[in-house]
Amino acid sequence: MRKILLGKLLTMAKISFISALLVATAMFISCSPVTSRKISPSVTDIPASEISVNAYGAYLAGRIAHIRKDFNRAADYYKVAYTKDPANTELIDSLYLLLTSEGRVDEACEYAQKAVDAKTTNSFAYMLLAAKQMHDGAYADSIKTLQRINDPMYRQLIAPLINTWNYAGLKQSDKAFAELGKIKKQTGLSGIYNQHRAMLFDYFGQNREATEAYEQLLQDKNAEISVRLLELITNFYIRTGQKNKAVAVMGATINNQTLDTLLQSLRAKVESADPSTAQPLLFSPQAGAAEALFTIASTFRYDEAIDVAHMYTALTIYMNPSYSTAKILMADIFEIREMYDNANNIYDSIDQDNIAYYPAQLKKARNLTRQEDYKGAEILLESLSEDYDDIQIYMELGDILRLNNRFAEAVKYYDRAIDMTTNPVTLWVLYYAKGVSLERAGNWTEAEDTLLKAYDINKHFLVLNHLGYTWIKQNKKVEEAFAMVVEAYNQAPFDPSINDSLGFALYNLGYPDLSLQYLEKAVEYYPSSAIISAHLGDAYWLTGRKNEARFQWQHALKLKDEGGELDIDTTRKKIADGITDEPKLSFDKDKIDLLIKKIRHPKKAVFKIVRKQ
């Protein structure tokens, strides 16, 4: 089955374009000083009420907002600073980039024009002006503006794509196809050429040619078909009396078990579509240009070029405000920047009858969870469940309730999700989450059975770690438990919880010196965990480092005990009296020694702090 992607992936030929694009957007992410004069050390003392009349104060306020990723406010402050320092060309660049990133493109163009008047060499300023001209229907002017850009990257990819639709606006189909043909000549860009060629036939009403072109795309086994392209193709089929083909295309895209929510929504829309009322997605040259801009944005959506994707996605939405797939990409970019309020505002701008509405609301709920607005996320998901009986809703609700120690309620939602799937990839995750919840709810017998179901499907480090750690605490199946913890560590040696489990196990097995290296790594990786600090304190005490032990126990009492595992009274007693009883587990020492030898020692740490499960 061919892979479905939201954006077209880069070929090696396209990678060479990234550096040129980044030069054009460097001021957006740099947050570097852009004033043309040295700032006085006392400028930070300027009262907020005076910022509007002081260029330095306005700049500093803008810079702070910029660093905090409040781009709207940063732009407003920079505008004030610019009025007091109009010769500052670097400040102009920051202005039009920030304004573009927030969708304030018309305002951005005012400053892009000032940058051009100041003879800037930044190609993106011309790109902005050309986009506005096309947006306003001044197609010939847009073509002329793009011709002013000498950068090879623009000439080889961006300008031909945009001008293809400029000529479409001028109703010059021959020139439109000729302009698009420039892309075909570039190595690695044939896929983009073929997609826009089909779209162009579609726009001009050349239905026979469009049918052939779209079908060639679908039959190309090496092509990666985006959700947006599927939407365009099925829309074309439905409008031209070929709904059966549209339904067949969606039926062949992907197996139901792994069908994501966006594709589910598209499939449902196709199956219920009324050909007599279907409207074209390529309804104007601007809509076509939006497809071109989105091609650029999705092509360059990489960590090192995320600013490029941000700018061109903003232009895509400017050109076609109803373009929901572009809005999803824009929200994704905001999420990468951890600007969750911005992302949620984008999600809320998607209409309820749009295929992206439900996926967008799911993503909004996840953002609310990231922001620890658990109640807001719960209310949103409960509301969605009234219209959508979907496994994702119940999984998300279960996770939210589990994170908030409402374990019995979480189990109910996990059970609903389990009843809806036979997919092993989903099932083991659900069994694991349900097992953790059952344990935290005090029902270890059922929790153990559930975790073993997850273990039978996938011996994942999360399952291994949880079972092994719990059995060690219970002095149960000690050799098997330790083997699980060792295997979990070998799978994920930089996970803080797993380092803690291995250190805790070694400590309880009578190897406190050996346990220290893992417990110290766990604290380094996850310094805010109460139980990890407490475990390290225990190991310090048995290795004779009693002052450090008391420090760790005292520190543990100050930290949030997310798992509810820390015994406060016992910890206070340790601080006062130390450890009076050493751990005593029943085990075969020879087997444990053999397992210790199986512990791998990775060279370089790449880890992410996670909650201890």
Side-chain angles (χ1 to χ4, degrees):
M1 201 66 67
R2 195 161 51 219
K3 191 174 184 180
I4 306 298
L5 299 177
L6 283 176
K8 191 74 176 166
L9 298 179
L10 277 175
T11 63
M12 291 303 294
K14 300 173 201 168
I15 292 174
S16 62
F17 294 151
I18 290 179
S19 58
L21 282 164
L22 284 177
V23 169
T25 59
M27 290 303 300
F28 175 58
I29 56 170
S30 68
C31 295
S32 57
V34 293
T35 52
S36 57
R37 306 180 186 88
K38 185 176 180 179
I39 297 175
S40 167
S42 62
V43 72
T44 54
D45 297 327
I46 296 174
S49 60
E50 296 180 17
I51 283 179
S52 62
V53 295
N54 186 292
Y56 302 129
Y59 164 70
L60 284 181
R63 178 167 163 73
I64 290 169
H66 198 163
I67 292 170
R68 291 176 177 173
K69 301 176 186 176
D70 186 350
F71 296 155
N72 260 325
R73 185 167 296 180
D76 289 338
Y77 278 124
Y78 285 159
K79 285 170 69 174
V80 173
Y82 175 74
T83 62
K84 304 297 180 182
D85 188 10
N88 191 330
T89 56
E90 290 181 335
L91 190 54
I92 299 174
D93 288 341
S94 287
L95 266 169
Y96 66 70
L97 290 168
L98 283 168
L99 289 166
T100 301
S101 76
E102 287 294 304
R104 297 162 63 179
V105 178
D106 287 332
E107 287 180 76
C109 287
E110 296 176 22
Y111 294 94
Q113 185 61 61
K114 294 178 188 296
V116 168
D117 293 342
K119 296 184 172 23
T120 180
T121 57
N122 192 331
S123 300
F124 189 73
Y126 290 103
M127 181 67 235
L128 265 178
L129 295 176
K132 177 170 173 54
Q133 288 164 339
M134 184 178 192
H135 176 272
D136 295 344
Y139 307 116
D141 291 339
S142 179
I143 292 169
K144 290 177 182 177
T145 300
L146 288 170
Q147 288 173 344
R148 299 178 68 181
I149 305 176
N150 293 319
D151 193 307
M153 178 273 304
Y154 278 89
R155 289 188 173 276
Q156 293 172 19
L157 174 63
I158 296 175
L161 273 177
I162 302 301
N163 282 336
T164 293
W165 295 99
N166 271 323
Y167 282 118
L170 293 170
K171 298 181 172 54
Q172 298 178 17
S173 61
D174 290 346
K175 289 187 176 180
F177 281 105
E179 194 70 20
L180 183 62
K182 295 177 181 179
I183 295 173
K184 186 179 182 181
K185 301 175 184 177
Q186 306 302 323
T187 303
L189 300 183
S190 60
I192 293 175
Y193 166 79
N194 290 332
Q195 289 185 28
H196 282 268
R197 176 173 170 268
M199 293 179 205
L200 208 54
F201 282 133
D202 187 353
Y203 174 76
F204 281 117
Q206 297 175 240
N207 293 346
R208 181 177 59 80
E209 292 86 350
T211 298
E212 292 175 357
Y214 280 137
E215 289 180 353
Q216 285 174 7
L217 288 169
L218 291 170
Q219 292 166 8
D220 184 354
K221 295 181 180 180
N222 295 319
E224 291 166 334
I225 305 298
S226 70
V227 174
R228 179 59 174 181
L229 184 55
L230 278 175
E231 190 177 11
L232 287 164
I233 292 172
T234 54
N235 172 262
F236 169 76
Y237 283 148
I238 290 167
R239 288 186 290 106
T240 56
Q242 305 176 78
K243 181 179 175 179
N244 59 323
K245 284 188 178 181
V247 173
V249 166
M250 292 309 303
T253 54
I254 195 165
N255 184 282
N256 277 326
Q257 290 293 340
T258 55
L259 193 62
D260 70 24
T261 52
L262 192 58
L263 282 170
Q264 282 181 343
S265 297
L266 178 57
R267 174 179 284 182
K269 183 176 181 178
V270 167
E271 290 174 348
S272 64
D274 181 354
S276 66
T277 60
Q279 298 297 313
L281 294 177
L282 297 169
F283 55 86
S284 69
Q286 288 78 10
E291 300 297 335
L293 290 163
F294 185 70
T295 295
I296 298 162
S298 55
T299 296
F300 291 102
R301 190 194 162 189
Y302 280 75
D303 288 345
E304 67 272 25
I306 194 69
D307 297 280
V308 176
H310 196 149
M311 296 300 157
Y312 281 90
T313 306
L315 290 181
T316 301
I317 298 170
Y318 172 69
M319 206 67 74
N320 182 1
S322 63
Y323 199 152
S324 60
T325 313
K327 289 182 177 182
I328 293 290
L329 177 56
M330 177 63 89
D332 285 345
I333 292 168
F334 279 131
E335 287 170 6
I336 291 169
R337 297 190 185 285
E338 298 182 349
M339 298 167 66
Y340 300 116
D341 286 336
N342 296 61
N344 289 345
N345 289 337
I346 294 287
Y347 291 140
D348 283 341
S349 72
I350 298 174
D351 293 336
Q352 193 164 356
D353 60 353
N354 193 285
I355 66 165
Y357 173 78
Y358 172 60
Q361 292 301 304
L362 269 184
K363 289 166 75 67
K364 178 184 176 181
R366 290 168 191 160
N367 285 343
L368 291 172
T369 301
R370 291 186 182 109
Q371 294 172 293
E372 298 188 357
D373 181 3
Y374 300 115
K375 192 61 179 178
E378 182 183 352
I379 291 171
L380 174 56
L381 290 166
E382 289 281 11
S383 175
L384 289 174
S385 70
E386 295 177 6
D387 297 313
Y388 304 92
D389 184 29
D390 185 63
I391 187 174
Q392 288 296 326
I393 293 175
Y394 306 128
M395 291 176 71
E396 300 283 344
L397 277 168
D399 289 345
I400 289 169
L401 294 168
R402 177 167 57 89
L403 288 172
N404 285 275
N405 301 327
R406 294 162 62 185
F407 303 115
E409 294 173 81
V411 168
K412 293 178 182 178
Y413 282 111
Y414 289 136
D415 279 338
R416 290 181 71 175
I418 287 168
D419 290 341
M420 296 178 72
T421 184
T422 57
N423 182 353
V425 176
T426 305
L427 268 178
W428 84 260
V429 174
L430 286 167
Y431 283 135
Y432 167 73
K434 178 185 173 182
V436 171
S437 299
L438 285 165
E439 184 209 356
R440 300 283 169 81
N443 186 353
W444 171 247
T445 300
E446 190 177 351
E448 186 177 41
D449 290 342
T450 305
L451 288 167
L452 286 170
K453 288 179 181 178
Y455 174 83
D456 289 340
I457 298 171
N458 185 357
K459 295 173 177 56
H460 190 275
F461 62 83
L462 289 174
V463 181
L464 292 165
N465 181 60
H466 202 90
L467 270 171
Y469 176 76
T470 306
W471 281 342
I472 291 287
K473 285 199 302 179
Q474 296 174 343
N475 193 11
K476 180 180 178 180
K477 302 181 182 180
V478 174
E479 295 88 358
E480 184 180 351
F482 186 62
M484 286 181 170
V485 172
V486 169
E487 176 56 25
Y489 177 82
N490 287 341
Q491 287 185 30
F494 305 110
D495 184 288
S497 294
I498 292 174
N499 273 274
D500 173 61
S501 295
L502 182 55
F504 174 81
L506 288 166
Y507 163 84
N508 281 279
L509 289 165
Y511 301 85
D513 292 293
L514 183 57
S515 76
L516 282 177
Q517 62 177 295
Y518 303 104
L519 291 170
E520 287 175 340
K521 278 198 298 181
V523 167
E524 178 187 351
Y525 297 164
Y526 195 1
S528 62
S529 169
I531 193 62
I532 292 176
S533 289
H535 288 164
L536 179 58
D538 293 351
Y540 277 152
W541 184 269
L542 288 194
T543 54
R545 298 163 65 173
K546 297 186 176 181
N547 288 336
E548 292 170 272
R550 285 193 168 95
F551 172 82
Q552 289 297 332
W553 292 328
Q554 289 168 346
H555 186 56
L557 291 176
K558 298 175 184 177
L559 297 173
K560 182 179 180 181
D561 182 22
E562 292 178 329
E565 191 178 350
L566 183 69
D567 188 321
I568 295 175
D569 291 338
T570 299
T571 304
R572 286 174 177 163
K573 191 174 186 303
K574 288 178 185 177
I575 294 170
D577 303 327
I579 295 176
T580 55
D581 296 320
E582 294 188 13
K584 295 178 182 178
L585 295 181
S586 303
F587 59 90
D588 185 324
K589 188 175 186 305
D590 290 337
K591 289 183 178 179
I592 296 300
D593 287 340
L594 285 173
L595 288 168
I596 289 173
K597 292 179 182 179
K598 294 182 178 180
I599 299 173
R600 298 174 193 150
H601 300 285
K603 295 180 180 179
K604 186 177 180 182
V606 179
F607 64 88
K608 180 179 180 181
I609 292 177
V610 296
R611 287 176 180 263
K612 185 174 177 64
Q613 300 299 324

